[in-house]
Amino acid sequence: MENFSIYKYIKLGIVHFKAYPEATTGEGPIVETLRKIVEDDFWTAVEVGWMKDPKVRHEATKLLETSHMEVCYANQPRMFALKLNINDFDSKERKRAMSAMKNGVNEAFQLGATCMRVFSGKHPGEEKKEEAKKILIDSLKEICQYTKEQGPMGIYMKVFDYDIDKCFLIGHFRDAADVAAEVNRDFSNFGVLADLSHFPLLRETPEDAIPLVKGFPMHFHIGSCAFRDKRHPGYGDLQPRFGMPGGEIDTPQVRDYFRLLLDLKLLNPDKRPVLSAEVRPLLAEETSEVVIANTKRVIKEAWATV
């Protein structure tokens, strides 16, 4: 195929705080590790998270300004660390969660992000699911309105597992479609983030799930997981390296994901989505640098064989 460079179809990113887990807490060598990604021209996008120190945020902002990269902001580090839930039935807890996520919006704009990751909170059980979805929709609309008042920003709801690790409300892609339809009705910049590593945890396939949400703006993640053996060091939603024994995702699955997204015309040269790798070193012998190199090889081989 003529001019079949991956960069024609995708803004190719990496999740900074997963590739360098020492930055997950909002502290540590954030700028130093972010610089390693910025200096690697394989990546044209980067996903960053919580940065507690205003000085660090300022340094990171200046670094990202010079990088010529698409910047996405992920609320996961802040929200997960504080165990916050924007669909909590307790209004006081929900208010705390909303305040924290709005702080994330503020950081996203400061860092020059063009898009932001949001997500549901804990699954309350099937009998209360529909009530929780209504609360979630209201919370997401409030976040979208707060964001809109500050400027343009794409907002993408990431779909997690509902009963293995995160145990979040969203959840099945059919539920994601229900929520996205309600929020997108008022905020056309609201869409869905589909993560390849989560499909095995959901017992869903990309072929069945993605068509349910492809009418909304979409971004994508690639990564792996393990769930068949609870004794596996990567069990759950831990983003192990591609090809780890006992893991679910390697080059063939990434290739098939690329093929599906191309077939569904979701990788569009006229409006390229961000597709980011979410991987991290888990074992004692693994380093960030080796896991990142592993990921780049998988991406290159998978795209070359589409």
Side-chain angles (χ1 to χ4, degrees), residues 18-209:
K18 288 298 174 69
Y20 294 95
E22 58 268 40
T24 303
T25 62
E27 299 173 312
I30 291 174
V31 174
E32 297 87 339
T33 52
L34 182 59
R35 183 173 287 111
K36 293 180 181 182
I37 292 171
V38 168
E39 290 176 348
D40 183 351
D41 68 359
F42 182 83
W43 310 110
T44 57
V46 63
E47 303 198 16
V48 297
W50 196 12
M51 302 182 191
K52 294 181 181 179
D53 187 334
K55 182 176 182 292
V56 169
R57 285 202 302 274
H58 177 76
E59 290 181 29
T61 299
K62 292 302 178 183
L63 176 62
L64 292 168
E65 280 179 359
T66 64
S67 70
H68 209 282
M69 300 178 84
E70 188 90 3
V71 180
C72 303
Y73 185 86
N75 279 291
Q76 296 95 294
R78 169 188 276 102
M79 302 297 284
F80 289 1
L82 300 176
K83 295 180 170 57
L84 297 172
N85 176 358
I86 65 170
N87 51 262
D88 201 305
F89 289 115
D90 185 320
S91 61
K92 290 183 179 179
E93 289 300 309
R94 192 165 67 250
K95 186 176 180 179
R96 285 182 62 235
M98 293 295 288
S99 177
M101 197 167 275
K102 288 176 181 178
N103 287 337
V105 173
N106 299 337
E107 278 196 20
F109 277 105
Q110 181 180 348
L111 290 163
T114 59
C115 55
M116 185 174 67
R117 301 351 186 162
V118 297
F119 40 87
S120 69
K122 288 294 183 180
H123 199 303
E126 285 299 316
E127 68 282 358
K128 294 184 177 181
K129 184 175 79 171
E130 293 305 316
E131 183 183 355
K133 282 166 65 176
K134 291 176 182 176
I135 294 172
L136 175 63
I137 289 165
D138 288 344
S139 294
L140 290 171
K141 286 185 176 182
E142 184 177 333
I143 293 295
C144 288
Q145 182 60 40
Y146 182 81
T147 304
K148 184 178 180 180
E149 290 167 1
Q150 297 195 50
M153 176 82 70
I155 301 176
Y156 297 83
M157 178 177 65
K158 186 168 182 178
V159 181
F160 286 93
D161 72 275
Y162 59 89
D163 69 346
I164 289 181
D165 187 335
K166 295 297 190 295
C167 301
F168 278 4
L169 175 62
I170 311 295
H172 285 297
F173 266 75
R174 191 164 298 282
D175 291 321
D178 291 344
V179 170
E182 290 297 323
V183 181
N184 183 268
R185 184 174 291 117
D186 295 331
F187 299 95
S188 60
N189 59 322
F190 184 87
V192 175
L193 190 155
D195 188 329
L196 178 61
S197 74
H198 291 170
F199 288 106
L201 302 177
L202 290 164
R203 278 86 78 195
E204 296 183 330
T205 67
E207 292 79 7
D208 291 336

